Amino acid sequence: MRAWKLKHSVHVEVEDQGPGFTTEDLRNAFCYAKPLSARPTGNETSTGIGLYSVKEIVQKHQGTIGIANAENRGARVFFEIPLTSVQENIVASEI
């Protein structure tokens, strides 16, 4: 996971070395209750609401979200959220 402050926003990305997303997974990645093809590593069950929930939260903050994929070599999920002037001062001291 990496995060950095841009001029008026914060950019966050999470990257893994897993199987990446299939073409079908990319179509459904942000859909509600659509578990993806990759199985969780701890054999836990998947509800299909994780990335959907992240997308909803990011969009409620007027942000954007996306996926960069390298099938069979991992994936990167990233989002960017704009900052207000008050938030800019707080985040600058924390990053």
Side-chain angles (χ1 to χ4, degrees), residues 3-60:
W4 59 90
K5 182 181 179 291
L6 300 169
K7 186 170 185 169
H8 298 289
S9 63
V10 171
H11 182 92
V12 177
E13 46 186 60
V14 178
E15 188 172 354
D16 69 15
Q17 304 300 313
F21 292 97
T22 65
T23 303
E24 182 73 14
D25 287 344
L26 288 171
R27 275 194 292 276
N28 294 320
F30 299 112
C31 295
Y32 179 76
K34 288 257 191 173
L36 304 179
S37 65
R39 299 285 55 106
T41 55
N43 291 324
E44 63 271 21
T45 58
S46 174
T47 61
I49 64 170
L51 287 173
Y52 170 82
S53 298
V54 173
K55 177 193 77 158
E56 291 295 307
I57 292 166
V58 168
Q59 288 179 340
K60 286 191 186 317

Side-chain angles (χ1 to χ4, degrees), residues 55-86:
K55 177 193 77 158
E56 291 295 307
I57 292 166
V58 168
Q59 288 179 340
K60 286 191 186 317
H61 291 278
Q62 290 75 51
T64 57
I65 187 166
I67 297 173
N69 186 52
E71 194 169 343
N72 297 316
R73 293 184 293 141
R76 180 171 44 94
V77 177
F78 54 91
F79 64 88
E80 197 166 304
I81 297 176
L83 298 172
T84 66
S85 58
V86 172

